[in-house]
Amino acid sequence: MSKKVGAFEGKLIVLVDSESASAAEILARVMQLEKRATVIGDQTSGSVMESRQYPRALGTDSVVFCGTSITEADVIMSDGKSLEHVGVTPDELLLPTGEDLAAKRDPVLAHAAGLVGVKVEPEKAGALFPIERPH
């Protein structure tokens, strides 16, 4: 295989968790299958099928808006397998503890940074992407 001029030659880490779905899962698995990245985190959700929304309206005087979502395609990876209901198994299963979450530490991001030569304490890593909860 020839090398492309300007192609990224550094080490790539893909972080995933149980809420990673759709394109995030496909990216993680392609990078993993092609041996272009190390996938770290938790098993992903296994939600990759393509669906199409079909909106509808019922009634004349009072209208009720509704719709149907119909799955139209599954994604089959180069290894011949689907990610649907399976997800991506990370190369390194690594999760924060309850104590880490309570203290706003991110040991997973800190570990990933360390793999590419950047020293980041879990406390600093946790401050980079604070958890936002819905109000």
Side-chain angles (χ1 to χ4, degrees):
M1 176 189 324
S2 65
K3 286 194 171 191
K4 296 194 182 210
V5 176
F8 180 72
E9 294 183 19
K11 190 169 186 177
L12 182 63
I13 308 295
V14 177
L15 297 178
V16 294
D17 66 15
S18 62
E19 294 184 13
S20 297
S22 196
E25 289 182 281
I26 293 170
L27 171 73
R29 188 64 180 140
V30 167
M31 294 292 104
Q32 192 178 52
L33 286 170
E34 298 294 322
K35 305 216 183 311
R36 293 182 173 208
T38 301
V39 179
I40 298 175
D42 195 5
Q43 185 82 19
T44 64
S45 72
S47 304
V48 296
M49 284 192 174
E50 179 184 331
S51 66
R52 182 170 290 178
Q53 303 290 330
Y54 295 92
R56 300 280 185 256
L58 304 172
T60 53
D61 293 333
S62 296
V63 179
V64 176
F65 296 98
C66 58
T68 306
S69 176
I70 298 177
T71 300
E72 296 184 338
D74 191 2
V75 178
I76 306 300
M77 305 305 293
S78 64
D79 63 356
K81 297 178 182 172
S82 170
L83 296 175
E84 190 68 21
H85 304 297
V86 176
V88 177
T89 300
D91 299 309
E92 290 185 43
L93 182 62
L94 187 58
L95 301 168
T97 65
E99 292 82 20
D100 289 325
L101 295 173
K104 299 181 180 177
R105 293 187 299 254
D106 192 339
V108 180
L109 181 57
H111 175 68
L115 291 176
V116 296
V118 177
K119 176 104 171 100
V120 178
E121 294 301 320
E123 295 78 13
K124 295 248 187 208
L128 292 173
F129 301 99
I131 296 172
E132 296 178 14
R133 293 187 170 79
H135 299 280

